Structure formats: C-alpha cells, structure tokens
Amino acid sequence: MTAFRTLDQADVKGKRVLVRVDLNVPMENGRITDATRIERVLPTIREIADKGGRVILLAHFGRPKGRDPKESLKPVAEAVSQHLGKSVAFADACIGEAASTPVNALKDGDVLLLENTRFHAGEEKNDPAFVQELAKLGDLYVNDAFSAAHRAHASTEGLARVLPGYAGRTMQAELDALTKGLEAPKRPVVAIVGGAKVSTKIDLLENLVTKVDALVIGGGMANTFVHATGLGIGKSLAEKDLAATAMRIIEKARDANCAIILPVDGVCAYEFKVGAQNHTYGIDAIPEDQMILDVGSQSIERIQAAINDAATVVWNGPLGAFEIAPFDQGTVAAARHAAQRTKDGKLVSVAGGGDTVAALNHAGVADSFTYVSTAGGAFLEWLEGKSLPGVEALRA
Ligand code: AMP
C-alpha cells in the first residue's frame, strides 16, 4: 500500500547493502538501558542476511563534534549481535580503508556495523563528497531509520539519491501506519493532542485542524485555549501571550469544519505534588488559587464519546500531568478506551511523539494501539504536515 520502494523490490543476494538504522540507544555507564531501537531493526537485518545480502549497518550515535571515543558505536555492535543471535563485525570508521577492508571481507549473509557517521562533519552537512565515500561501500541502500528521516543528512537522504534506495521493514511499517492515520484515513478522524505547551505544537495544531474531523485538546495546552476563550484558569500552567494564536487555531478549525473539544471540567490542586489534595471543578469555576492538573470526569466522558464516534484516532501528548498520581487518570482512561475500541476492531489508533509512548506504557496499553511510533521528532514533523527528506528520497 505504500508508494515507496520496499525490500520486496530489492534483489539483495550477493550485494553489499548499506542499511541506515537507528541505534541511538540510551546508555548509562557504557550499558544500554533500553534496547527497543535495536529490537526494531532486527527484522530488516535478518531478512537481508537470510536472502544472502551483505549487511553494512550505518548509524549515528549522540551528537559528537568530530571523533569521540565516548560516542563510539562499538558497544552497540556487541548488543546488536546478542539480540540478533549472530556475529556482528565492527569497523572503526564509516569511510576510507578502515571501512572498505572489513566491507570487502564480508561474505553473503554477514553483518557489519560501521562507526558513528556523525564523527564526520559531512554527515550532517549532507556533503556530496562524503555521500560518495559512503556510496563506494555499497551496491544498494536501505533506510530503516524513520526516526532520523526528518534530517537531510548524508546517511539518511544523500545516499538514496546516488544508490538504488528502499524502505526497510520498520520504515515501511511506520509509513503504512502514518498513511492510515492521516493521509488516507478511515473517517471520521479524531486527533487527541495534549502536553505542556501550545508554543511547541502550533504548527501541529494548525495542520491537524485542516485534516481531522475533531480535535480534542487536553493537558497544559488546553489551559491556554480556555484562557483565550475568556475563562479564569487560576494558577494553571498556561501561555497567556498565545491567546491570539489559540483563537486563530479555533477559527481555522471552524473554517475547516473541525470540531474542537476542550475540557469542560478540571482536576485542580494547590500544588504540583504526588497525592496532592485535589478537587474537580467546572471549567467556568476554577478557583483563583489552584491549578488544573488533569481533565475532569465529564471531560473524560466527552473524550470517550469522541473516540466512539471515530474510525481513526491520532494521539500526541498526555491529557494531564500523568507522571504524578492521581493526575494520570484522564490520560489513562482515554488511552484504555481507545485501546479497547482498537481491540474490538472498531478503531485504527496511531500514537507517538515525546511523552506519549511513556503515557501509553503507563496506561498499560501501548501494545493494544494499532501503531505507536517511537520516532519523536520525525513523528511530530509528520503531524505538522511537513515532508520528511529521508522519506521523500525513497518515493517510488
Ligand atoms: P509534551 O512534552 O509537550 O507532550 O508535554 C508533556 C508534559 O506535559 C508532561 O510532563 C505532563 O506532566 C505535562 N502536563 C500535561 N498536562 C499538564 C497540566 N495540566 N499542568 C502541568 N503540566 C501538564
């Protein structure tokens, strides 16, 4: 269903296949603390190796300025090897002889990881000379790093312009999910957007109101909207200077026939603390000396009703300060409801970005959504309607 070249079209047998992956795993004291990103790239590596391709992995790690042993991918090669259940060789550089010698030693089905692409300034500059150096090492290019696809770097975009390029299986799954979520969704589509601030999500809100049938706004950002409509919000987190922006978004939604669903009540407390004494007030009766930390029960009912009306839900951002109980209840209730509708076969649910994955994990439902994207920045840029250079370069 994708308009992208995928591994189905690639003849990898006996070929040197440069595979861009995301191995930017969190590490503490040299130990990987979360291997999700490694797990996600295994299917593509396995498939190419099983088909007799020579797998040459390209990845960045951290934000080094030049070569820095602290940002070496060497420990990651060992971890990939363990998860893959197969030896993964490591090359001390991603260009030059230190790369070409181990590449030339590869046999069909072997796997090699090249050192951090960001050790070279040409990576982030997408320098054509650096692209050519990388391209010498491969016959084909596969991009499986959706999370880096919003960057036009040598290994994420440049290579697809000079070698035959294909989407890896993880990239393909992400593109399929995103297409189902917004580009060719089953209607009605409801977007749920929460999180702390309007200022970080203006482009996203402006794009969504032109594409979805209803937009639920929750979290701290809802306070800015409520304030803009002329109601008091006490000591709640808000960006009062963005009242005009909020009104513009509301007007744009009206013009596009997109319903805006704002909270009708809020769970309030005097302080932002675990177990803080709290009380729910109607949205037109928020006490001056309290702050809204979650959507109230009537708002939850409305959000659940909106989910019931939807064939597709796209979700970014928690509906309250979910890290602190009991202000997680709105997010948890809405997430579980969307998960149940998905399990019942009534809903396509796509979520991602920032704290959303953590919030859905907290609710225990990340596995029940149709698709949860772990690609923070790239997922948000896609929600903003921007084209992603790494994806554009793979279009068939
Ligand atoms: P974001 O990274 O923009 O998605 O924002 C996520 C953060 O927003 C989380 O840390 C939440 O605790 C916070 N948040 C959500 N709702 C509220 C609220 N009503 N008051 C304060 N913080 C909130």
Side-chain angles (χ1 to χ4, degrees), residues 194-197 200-201 218-221 223 236-237 272 291-294 316-324 353-356:
K197 292 179 172 177
T200 55
K201 295 187 185 172
M221 71 161 58
N223 303 335
S236 304
L237 173 77
F272 190 17
M291 58 184 100
I292 307 167
L293 289 170
D294 196 9
N316 169 257
L319 298 176
F322 78 99
E323 300 95 336
I324 295 186
D355 279 333
T356 314

Side-chain angles (χ1 to χ4, degrees), residues 326-361:
F327 308 109
D328 56 343
Q329 284 180 13
T331 304
V332 168
R336 291 193 177 151
H337 194 74
Q340 191 56 49
R341 297 283 297 175
T342 308
K343 276 197 210 156
D344 294 345
K346 301 207 165 88
L347 184 69
V348 171
S349 49
V350 178
D355 279 333
T356 314
V357 182
L360 296 185
N361 279 330

Side-chain angles (χ1 to χ4, degrees), residues 172-380:
Q172 185 184 348
E174 190 102 28
L175 296 175
D176 281 346
L178 301 191
T179 305
K180 270 192 217 151
L182 268 195
E183 271 161 44
K186 260 208 217 157
R187 291 195 175 268
V189 188
V190 174
I192 302 178
V193 179
K197 292 179 172 177
V198 171
S199 54
T200 55
K201 295 187 185 172
I202 295 173
D203 288 351
L204 182 150
L205 293 167
E206 295 211 78
N207 181 47
L208 285 178
V209 294
T210 65
K211 295 219 169 128
V212 305
D213 302 293
L215 171 64
V216 172
I217 302 177
M221 71 161 58
N223 303 335
T224 300
F225 280 86
V226 171
H227 163 76
T229 61
L231 295 171
I233 52 168
K235 291 197 301 174
S236 304
L237 173 77
E239 293 166 295
K240 294 188 175 169
D241 53 327
L242 289 183
T245 304
M247 290 314 291
R248 188 180 73 227
I249 292 167
I250 290 175
E251 272 158 35
K252 201 168 171 183
R254 196 177 299 138
D255 290 347
N257 267 332
C258 166
I260 297 257
I261 302 169
L262 282 168
V264 289
D265 54 359
V267 183
C268 297
Y270 290 100
E271 50 186 352
F272 190 17
K273 230 171 77 179
V274 178
Q277 203 191 353
N278 62 85
H279 191 77
T280 301
Y281 297 93
I283 206 70
D284 55 356
I286 304 297
E288 264 177 41
D289 53 356
Q290 295 192 37
M291 58 184 100
I292 307 167
L293 289 170
D294 196 9
V295 289
S297 51
Q298 285 184 37
S299 304
I300 295 173
E301 272 177 35
R302 287 191 174 209
I303 295 168
Q304 291 177 334
I307 293 171
N308 289 343
D309 289 341
T312 303
V313 159
V314 178
W315 187 332
N316 169 257
L319 298 176
F322 78 99
E323 300 95 336
I324 295 186
F327 308 109
D328 56 343
Q329 284 180 13
T331 304
V332 168
R336 291 193 177 151
H337 194 74
Q340 191 56 49
R341 297 283 297 175
T342 308
K343 276 197 210 156
D344 294 345
K346 301 207 165 88
L347 184 69
V348 171
S349 49
V350 178
D355 279 333
T356 314
V357 182
L360 296 185
N361 279 330
H362 174 76
V365 298
D367 291 343
S368 311
F369 270 55
T370 309
Y371 194 78
V372 178
S373 172
T374 52
F379 182 82
L380 288 178

Side-chain angles (χ1 to χ4, degrees), residues 27-47:
M27 257 214 240
E28 266 167 39
N29 304 322
R31 285 196 52 233
I32 293 166
T33 53
D34 180 356
T36 309
R37 285 184 162 158
I38 295 179
E39 294 288 344
R40 289 220 165 187
V41 298
L42 298 179
T44 294
I45 300 176
R46 276 203 190 104
E47 181 172 340

